[in-house]
Amino acid sequence: METKHQKMPKVVKVKNKAPAEVQITAEQLLREAKERDLEILPPPPKQKISDPDELADYQHRKRKAFEDSLRKNRTVISNWIKYAQWEESQKEVQRARSIYERALDVDHRNIILWLRYAEMEMRNRQVNHARNLWDRAVTVLPRANQFWYKYTYMEEMLGNVAGARQVFDRWMEWEPDEQAWLTYIKFELRYKETDRARRIYEKFVSVHPDIRNWIKFARFEEQHGFISGTRGVFERAVEFFGDELMDEKLFLAFAKFEEGQREHDRARVIYKYALQHIPKNRTQELYKAYTIHEKKYGDRTGIEDVIVSKRKFQYEEEVKANPNNYDAWFDYLRLVESEGDLEVIRETYERAIANVPPTKEKSFWRRYIYLWINYALFEELEAEDVKRTRQVYKYCLELLPHKHFTFSKIWLLYAHFEIRNKNLTAARKSLGMALGMCPKDKLFRGYIELEIKLREFDRCRILYQKFLEFGPENCVTWMRFAELEMSLGDADRARAIYELAVNQPRLDMPELLWKAYIDFEVGLSGTDKARALYERLLERTLHVKVWMSYAQFEMSASEEGNVLARQVYERANQSLRGAGEKEERILLLEAWRDFETQNGDKESLENVLQKMPRRVKKRQRVQADDGTEEGWEEIFDYIFPEDEATKQNLKVLEMAKAWKKQKAKAEEEGEERKAEK
């Protein structure tokens, strides 16, 4: 028989393999299934029991299931509770009670088990059983407050007030937390037993001696109209806590109570007592309350005393904690000076200046020295005691370690003080001593200014000479000396000073000095001398700013200034071109271009524009400090047309040399061949 070949089904080719516009995720499928309730099974059918035998069979099956689960794991208390609750639902209270007892044998420390057992007894109105059960519970677990709360609540609901009180008394013997005591007190107050509540409060504050509990006790007495009792409670609390454990909250409550009773003198005494005995860092609220009290019930003097005393106490605490906290001393002294008591102010100043900085570093003395300055100014201006002021200055100058450092301000203040008191000799002597012991720029300048004001110019010259011997590199000093001579009309002296200055081997700011010298000559209409100075300066430096300043000078110096300025720019361009300073050369060309734009013609401007560089981007290797290569970086470079023309000429010369060398070689080879033939 011929077997027919079975045809394979054709595979459908998917023409469009692009993803669908709307994608469906697994999360979306699950969410749609839940929304349509596709996986929710229907509840089992309800079983109706209509026969005692059927009920007995049902109960037997359920009990067997519960017992099997208990045999598997006896320690799961939830199974016991479910079993007992089912028996209770079947009205089998005795069976439920038996199950709870069996569960207690398994775990007698489970609080939930005891609660469910007792609640079942109360639901079924088995009061004696419930009472016995609560007794057992509080005996086994006396620290479980839930049992006590439920027990007392049950007795109170049954109207057994005496029994509830007896339970509370048993509870309090265990010294529970604060809420238990307050619950007992509220219980007694519900039945108007104020004396009993007071006795409970007495025990309460002895067991839990916190300040807030004493305050609650005092408020209880106040609410029930026992004013003397309230005051007695506060006084006992103050005595109980003593000086070490005092807290401002207790005194605040005590003072507010006295305010409420209109005993403002008593409240004031309480505030003052508290402020004297409590550390100042814990009395912020107390000071606020005291201030408010004085504003309400005191006079202006009392209010000011409160504020001043508060700030004084704060400053005293600060300076006791850190005697070298000079900012606190300044604030303290300012407060004391506002009171105007000279003796107290002097005493405070003496206490402040006694705290000498521990090290001989100037940074630690910068704030301290102002204590002496303020002390001296106080004695001179406020106390008007010249003798004490002089003593303060002298003691301060003796105290300073002049070998390590000094303060020019003190020396100058002392000299001005002596001058105000018409003692010029002492002022000059003190400044001379300062320059001999610890010469400083500020001392020299202050001494010179003093002599200038006194019109003692010969002394000024001597001081400038000493100053320049001390610091010959200080350009400002040379300039001030020359300015002094110019102000006196002696130009030759000033020029000689400038000449000495510019010939110094080392200067801190030579550019300022040369500029001042050139301006000096220009001011005297010495154009040729100024031009000579520029030429001398260019021998020392070829900085672009010097060339630009020179060009500006030539442009404004004479009628042919434009021609001379252009020559300066050309010289500068050649000089910087030879030095290879591209950035400075660009600055010069830009300034030259601006000059030609304003003062030149098209030809001169075009000449400068042809010299302007072209900006190009280049790559160069980046090397680390240890010499390893880290890659490439892009930089911007400037190519000048003049430099390119020079390079092209050099290339032509090199090619000519190579051609000449090649020709000579060829001639030698030809001669050798002839010789061989």
Side-chain angles (χ1 to χ4, degrees):
M1 251 183 104
E2 294 182 2
T3 57
K4 292 183 179 180
H5 293 288
Q6 190 176 359
K7 292 183 178 181
M8 297 295 291
K10 291 183 179 180
V11 179
V12 179
K13 292 184 178 180
V14 180
K15 294 181 180 179
N16 186 6
K17 294 183 179 181
E21 294 182 359
V22 180
Q23 296 289 321
I24 301 175
T25 61
E27 182 184 358
Q28 187 175 354
L29 292 172
L30 292 172
R31 187 168 63 250
E32 289 179 358
K34 185 164 182 62
E35 289 174 356
R36 297 175 185 177
D37 295 337
L38 297 178
E39 297 181 2
I40 296 176
L41 298 175
K46 291 184 179 180
Q47 186 179 3
K48 292 184 179 180
I49 298 173
S50 58
D51 191 346
D53 294 334
E54 191 176 356
L55 176 62
D57 181 58
Y58 166 71
Q59 290 176 344
H60 176 71
R61 281 187 287 106
K62 289 290 287 184
R63 286 180 182 129
K64 186 176 183 303
F66 278 123
E67 291 293 342
D68 290 341
S69 65
L70 292 178
R71 274 195 297 274
K72 289 178 184 176
N73 196 345
R74 290 170 53 84
T75 59
V76 180
I77 300 300
S78 60
N79 292 338
W80 291 98
I81 294 173
K82 289 177 184 178
Y83 190 8
Q85 288 176 346
W86 181 81
E87 290 290 359
E88 184 186 0
S89 68
Q90 299 298 314
K91 308 299 181 184
E92 294 286 347
V93 178
Q94 189 62 36
R95 280 181 175 274
R97 192 177 290 129
S98 174
I99 294 165
Y100 275 122
E101 290 294 339
R102 288 167 60 195
L104 288 173
D105 290 338
V106 174
D107 186 5
H108 67 280
R109 302 186 66 82
N110 193 301
I111 295 175
I112 295 175
L113 189 60
W114 285 101
L115 292 174
R116 296 289 185 272
Y117 191 4
E119 287 171 359
M120 182 201 74
E121 297 290 3
M122 289 192 291
R123 274 197 302 272
N124 291 281
R125 301 182 183 281
Q126 301 293 323
V127 176
N128 289 328
H129 278 286
R131 188 176 285 123
N132 293 335
L133 192 58
W134 287 126
D135 278 328
R136 287 170 59 195
V138 298
T139 303
V140 174
L141 299 171
R143 293 294 179 187
N145 292 336
Q146 290 172 289
F147 297 157
W148 294 103
Y149 283 121
K150 293 275 188 180
Y151 194 4
T152 54
Y153 181 71
M154 184 191 77
E155 294 292 354
E156 189 175 2
M157 289 297 100
L158 293 171
N160 186 9
V161 178
R165 186 175 290 118
Q166 188 177 5
V167 174
F168 270 119
D169 289 335
R170 286 173 58 193
W171 189 9
M172 296 305 115
E173 290 176 2
W174 289 97
E175 297 183 358
D177 58 9
E178 298 175 4
Q179 187 57 44
W181 290 91
L182 296 175
T183 304
Y184 191 9
I185 291 167
K186 289 179 182 178
F187 165 78
E188 294 293 357
L189 291 177
R190 280 198 295 272
Y191 296 99
K192 312 297 183 185
E193 295 288 346
T194 309
D195 294 334
R196 287 180 180 274
R198 184 179 293 109
R199 287 196 293 272
I200 297 167
Y201 258 121
E202 294 284 352
K203 294 179 182 178
F204 176 37
V205 295
S206 63
V207 174
H208 297 284
D210 294 336
I211 287 176
R212 63 176 181 275
N213 297 333
W214 282 97
I215 294 173
K216 288 177 182 177
F217 188 10
R219 286 177 180 167
F220 160 78
E221 295 285 2
E222 184 180 2
Q223 288 171 1
H224 291 85
F226 298 102
I227 305 303
S228 59
T230 307
R231 191 173 286 121
V233 170
F234 276 121
E235 291 172 355
R236 284 169 54 199
V238 172
E239 184 180 353
F240 176 81
F241 288 105
D243 292 340
E244 296 180 357
L245 301 175
M246 280 189 180
D247 193 274
E248 64 175 352
K249 294 180 181 178
L250 179 63
F251 289 99
L252 282 172
F254 195 3
K256 287 180 180 178
F257 161 73
E258 295 293 356
E259 285 183 26
Q261 303 301 318
R262 300 180 183 275
E263 295 285 350
H264 303 304
D265 293 334
R266 282 178 177 271
R268 191 175 289 110
V269 171
I270 293 166
Y271 280 125
K272 289 182 179 179
Y273 178 84
L275 292 173
Q276 290 174 0
H277 291 81
I278 299 178
K280 302 304 177 290
N281 58 351
R282 293 188 286 149
T283 56
Q284 286 81 7
E285 296 296 327
L286 200 63
Y287 270 117
K288 287 181 184 177
Y290 188 19
T291 307
I292 293 170
H293 174 268
E294 290 297 330
K295 286 180 180 178
K296 286 182 179 178
Y297 309 109
D299 53 5
R300 182 175 179 179
T301 306
I303 296 170
E304 291 178 354
D305 289 342
V306 171
I307 297 171
V308 171
S309 62
K310 173 185 175 182
R311 292 171 62 188
K312 271 188 179 179
F313 283 130
Q314 290 175 347
Y315 293 141
E316 283 288 347
E317 290 296 319
E318 288 183 18
V319 297
K320 281 182 183 177
N322 184 9
N324 292 326
N325 184 1
Y326 301 120
D327 291 329
W329 281 111
F330 287 130
D331 296 335
Y332 192 10
L333 288 164
R334 198 177 300 116
L335 177 64
V336 172
E337 286 180 7
S338 65
E339 294 181 339
D341 191 339
L342 293 180
E343 294 302 323
V344 175
I345 296 170
R346 281 174 178 153
E347 181 185 354
T348 310
Y349 267 116
E350 292 293 338
R351 287 174 56 200
I353 61 178
N355 299 296
V356 181
T359 59
K360 292 183 178 180
E361 292 184 16
K362 192 170 184 178
S363 59
F364 293 94
W365 287 67
R366 291 187 186 279
R367 298 292 291 164
Y368 172 70
I369 202 67
Y370 277 96
L371 290 173
W372 286 95
I373 293 172
N374 291 346
Y375 191 11
L377 293 176
F378 162 75
E379 291 290 353
E380 182 183 1
L381 302 177
E382 301 295 332
E384 297 180 356
D385 192 333
V386 176
K387 186 177 180 181
R388 285 184 67 91
T389 307
R390 187 175 288 110
Q391 288 177 353
V392 170
Y393 278 120
K394 286 184 177 180
Y395 287 152
C396 177
L397 292 172
E398 290 173 3
L399 182 66
L400 287 174
H402 299 292
K403 291 183 180 180
H404 298 276
F405 61 86
T406 190
F407 288 95
S408 306
K409 193 178 189 69
I410 284 287
W411 291 101
L412 294 173
L413 285 172
Y414 179 39
H416 285 100
F417 161 75
E418 293 292 359
I419 289 171
R420 284 194 295 273
N421 289 279
K422 301 179 181 180
N423 195 351
L424 183 59
T425 305
R428 283 176 173 156
K429 185 178 178 181
S430 66
L431 289 174
M433 187 187 301
L435 293 177
M437 293 172 62
C438 44
K440 290 183 68 177
D441 291 354
K442 191 175 180 181
L443 276 173
F444 276 108
R445 286 196 293 269
Y447 197 178
I448 290 168
E449 288 175 6
L450 181 64
E451 295 295 352
I452 288 174
K453 290 178 181 178
L454 296 172
R455 297 293 186 266
E456 294 286 347
F457 299 114
D458 292 334
R459 287 181 177 273
C460 291
R461 289 191 177 104
I462 296 171
L463 287 172
Y464 267 121
Q465 291 173 8
K466 298 289 184 183
F467 195 1
L468 292 171
E469 289 175 6
F470 168 69
E473 73 281 354
N474 194 332
C475 293
V476 177
T477 307
W478 289 101
M479 291 158 58
R480 296 273 177 84
F481 193 7
E483 288 172 3
L484 173 67
E485 296 295 349
M486 271 300 295
S487 64
L488 297 175
D490 198 337
D492 294 334
R493 272 180 175 271
R495 186 176 290 109
I497 291 167
Y498 276 122
E499 283 294 331
L500 284 173
V502 297
N503 290 321
Q504 292 297 317
R506 190 167 63 90
L507 295 169
D508 55 358
M509 292 184 291
E511 64 278 2
L512 288 180
L513 183 64
W514 280 96
K515 185 177 184 305
Y517 192 6
I518 292 168
D519 292 342
F520 163 75
E521 294 293 355
V522 171
L524 293 175
S525 300
T527 307
D528 295 334
K529 291 182 179 180
R531 188 176 290 111
L533 285 176
Y534 270 116
E535 294 295 337
R536 287 171 60 190
L537 180 57
L538 288 172
E539 292 174 1
R540 300 191 178 195
T541 179
L542 296 174
H543 198 276
V544 64
K545 290 188 177 179
V546 177
W547 288 107
M548 292 165 65
S549 176
Y550 192 8
Q552 292 288 335
F553 161 73
E554 292 290 3
M555 188 170 60
S556 60
S558 63
E559 295 179 355
E560 299 179 354
N562 294 341
V563 177
L564 295 174
R566 189 174 292 111
Q567 292 175 0
V568 171
Y569 277 122
E570 289 175 354
R571 285 176 59 196
N573 186 34
Q574 292 296 327
S575 174
L576 295 176
R577 179 183 171 188
E581 298 290 342
K582 291 187 177 182
E583 294 182 358
E584 293 188 358
R585 193 174 170 191
I586 291 168
L587 290 174
L588 179 74
L589 288 173
E590 289 176 351
W592 192 1
R593 180 190 61 194
D594 297 338
F595 163 74
E596 296 293 352
T597 303
Q598 294 178 0
N599 304 297
D601 52 11
K602 290 183 179 181
E603 184 179 353
S604 61
L605 179 61
E606 186 65 28
N607 183 28
V608 177
L609 292 176
Q610 289 176 359
K611 298 177 185 294
M612 295 299 291
R614 186 176 76 256
R615 186 182 181 189
V616 295
K617 187 186 293 186
K618 291 184 178 181
R619 295 181 67 199
Q620 70 176 12
R621 290 185 179 274
V622 180
Q623 287 188 344
D625 296 335
D626 55 356
T628 59
E629 294 185 359
E630 294 185 344
W632 296 81
E633 68 174 357
E634 291 185 349
I635 61 169
F636 289 100
D637 195 9
Y638 295 93
I639 297 175
F640 293 85
E642 294 175 332
D643 297 343
E644 285 187 334
T646 305
K647 287 182 180 179
Q648 289 176 0
N649 294 334
L650 290 173
K651 285 182 180 179
V652 171
L653 289 173
E654 288 177 0
M655 292 171 65
K657 286 180 180 179
W659 175 80
K660 187 176 181 180
K661 189 175 180 181
Q662 189 176 2
K663 185 178 180 182
K665 188 176 181 181
E667 290 176 354
E668 288 178 1
E669 289 177 354
E671 290 176 358
E672 288 176 359
R673 287 173 185 170
K674 288 179 181 180
E676 288 177 357
K677 290 178 180 180

